[in-house]
Amino acid sequence: MIVKTIKSYKRIEAIDITNTISKEAENIGNGIMLIYVPHTTAAITINEAYDPSVMDDLMEKVSSLVPYSKNYRHLEGNSDAHIKSSLIGNSVQLIVENGNLILGRWQGIFFLEFDGPRDRKIFIKVLR
Amino acid sequence: MIVKTIKSYKRIEAIDITNTISKEAENIGNGIMLIYVPHTTAAITINEAYDPSVMDDLMEKVSSLVPYSKNYRHLEGNSDAHIKSSLIGNSVQLIVENGNLILGRWQGIFFLEFDGPRDRKIFIKVLR
Amino acid sequence: MIVKTIKSYKRIEAIDITNTISKEAENIGNGIMLIYVPHTTAAITINEAYDPSVMDDLMEKVSSLVPYSKNYRHLEGNSDAHIKSSLIGNSVQLIVENGNLILGRWQGIFFLEFDGPRDRKIFIKVLR
């Protein structure tokens, strides 16, 4: 298992981690990478990396569907972040061939911070 | 493939299955476990297991976004459950190292019942 | 990696690809299939395949939660499709045993088009 650290700077932030994952893929040859987020107030998704406004739209829409509020049962004030995490999901799987990460033309990989700023981690597990 | 049975007692219920999965991991050594829900009105997610109110908040919010209603095309009265299932997802992947399930500090694994009470199953497939 | 082409005919459309995946499974024996969507305005999900109105309900509900609108930052007019893609997810994992795709009784596999009509692809990676 490979562990990578990620630093977020805002409460809600989409961080493009495509380059980090792509570099790890070089050593893999052929297989699948599981990218696993060990946190409960963050998520990971694959979406357009070319125009950053796509991620702005995603984060705004998710925040309007699940708004920040003190009116949840969980008393830490971050229930919205937990809910967003389960709606998006905490892992993605990626195909690697000949050391190349296989992504669609417009795809990038994004760590989604919903309760930052924080020091975060991702776990990478490779299967061949 | 390993098959495990789960019993739900309410229409909507989050069931912590972390211990069940953790016990299976002991026999695995190193690899990935795919936990697969073979139902279309249930789901599986990874989120905070320490304070149960997090799951209460999640289930309430998902039910307010996709309310129970007879006004769907599907005539069995459980379209809300099908939609919730696809929003959350029907599988998770977990890393196992030296027989230990790798989870973040606050993470647990939850079977989400959206149309219970029912006898349910999960399928576990291991890749090394 | 196996590449399959899919053709959509509407802007929003759920396409049942269960037979396509099932045929590929015949050559696999035992393992996991990762079905990966390399697009950022489409998704993939597993849900009821028996009554098509379940998918109609899903697509309508997702479209009411994330409506088509020009009022997003991304100027191509399809931000709703990108957001829907991340809410549902761009991959599923399936168990194969003795060449048989393991699905629950009511389950089918659906390619979800959110910005068609288009020529689309799915990537299939097998791990044994």
Side-chain angles (χ1 to χ4, degrees), chain A residues 40, chain B residues 16-18 45-50 103-104 106-110:
Chain A
T40 58
Chain B
D16 188 336
I17 59 171
T18 313
T45 195
I46 296 168
N47 213 309
E48 181 177 322
Y50 182 76
L103 290 171
W106 304 106
Q107 286 182 327
I109 308 156
F110 294 88

Side-chain angles (χ1 to χ4, degrees), chain A:
Chain A
M1 188 177 79
I2 303 155
V3 180
K4 291 278 167 186
T5 56
I6 294 171
K7 201 170 175 49
S8 64
Y9 294 90
K10 301 179 190 167
R11 178 158 200 268
I12 293 196
E13 185 180 1
I15 301 170
D16 189 335
I17 59 171
T18 313
N19 285 345
T20 302
I21 307 301
S22 194
K23 269 172 211 154
E24 292 300 324
E26 290 172 18
N27 307 314
I28 288 169
N30 291 280
I32 285 180
M33 297 172 88
L34 169 65
I35 319 292
Y36 183 92
V37 173
H39 309 289
T40 58
T41 53
I44 187 164
T45 195
I46 296 169
N47 213 310
E48 181 177 323
Y50 182 76
D51 176 6
S53 66
V54 169
M55 273 298 125
D56 293 342
D57 287 336
L58 172 67
M59 297 305 255
E60 278 184 28
K61 186 65 192 179
V62 169
S63 293
S64 82
L65 290 172
V66 186
Y68 173 79
S69 161
K70 301 280 184 200
N71 297 325
Y72 291 105
R73 292 162 188 252
H74 182 54
L75 296 177
E76 293 183 18
N78 62 354
S79 255
D80 66 308
H82 288 288
I83 297 165
K84 287 162 182 157
S85 173
S86 278
L87 281 180
I88 300 294
N90 83 315
S91 70
V92 294
Q93 293 74 42
L94 293 154
I95 300 167
V96 181
E97 297 214 320
N98 301 316
N100 296 310
L101 192 60
I102 304 296
L103 289 171
R105 183 179 177 185
W106 305 105
Q107 286 183 326
I109 308 156
F110 294 88
F111 180 91
L112 304 189
E113 174 64 79
F114 292 126
D115 192 33
R118 297 207 201 196
D119 292 317
R120 298 293 206 172
K121 283 187 170 61
I122 53 171
F123 299 160
I124 304 174
K125 182 82 174 180
V126 177
L127 285 180
R128 288 182 183 86

Side-chain angles (χ1 to χ4, degrees), chain B:
Chain B
M1 189 176 79
I2 302 154
V3 179
K4 291 278 167 187
T5 56
I6 294 171
K7 200 166 175 52
S8 65
Y9 293 90
K10 301 179 190 168
R11 179 159 200 267
I12 294 197
E13 186 179 0
I15 300 169
D16 188 336
I17 59 171
T18 313
N19 285 345
T20 302
I21 307 302
S22 194
K23 269 171 213 155
E24 292 301 324
E26 290 173 16
N27 308 314
I28 288 169
N30 290 280
I32 285 179
M33 297 172 89
L34 169 66
I35 319 292
Y36 183 92
V37 174
H39 309 288
T40 59
T41 54
I44 187 166
T45 195
I46 296 168
N47 213 309
E48 181 177 322
Y50 182 76
D51 176 5
S53 66
V54 169
M55 273 298 125
D56 293 342
D57 287 337
L58 172 66
M59 297 305 256
E60 277 184 27
K61 185 66 191 178
V62 169
S63 293
S64 81
L65 290 172
V66 186
Y68 173 77
S69 161
K70 300 282 182 197
N71 297 324
Y72 291 105
R73 291 161 188 251
H74 182 53
L75 296 177
E76 293 183 18
N78 61 355
S79 255
D80 66 307
H82 288 288
I83 296 165
K84 286 161 183 156
S85 173
S86 278
L87 280 180
I88 300 293
N90 83 315
S91 70
V92 293
Q93 292 75 42
L94 293 155
I95 300 168
V96 181
E97 297 214 319
N98 302 316
N100 296 310
L101 192 61
I102 304 295
L103 290 171
R105 183 179 177 185
W106 304 106
Q107 286 182 327
I109 308 156
F110 294 88
F111 180 92
L112 303 189
E113 173 64 78
F114 293 125
D115 191 34
R118 296 207 201 197
D119 292 317
R120 299 294 206 172
K121 283 188 169 61
I122 54 171
F123 298 160
I124 304 175
K125 182 83 176 178
V126 178
L127 285 180
R128 287 180 183 88

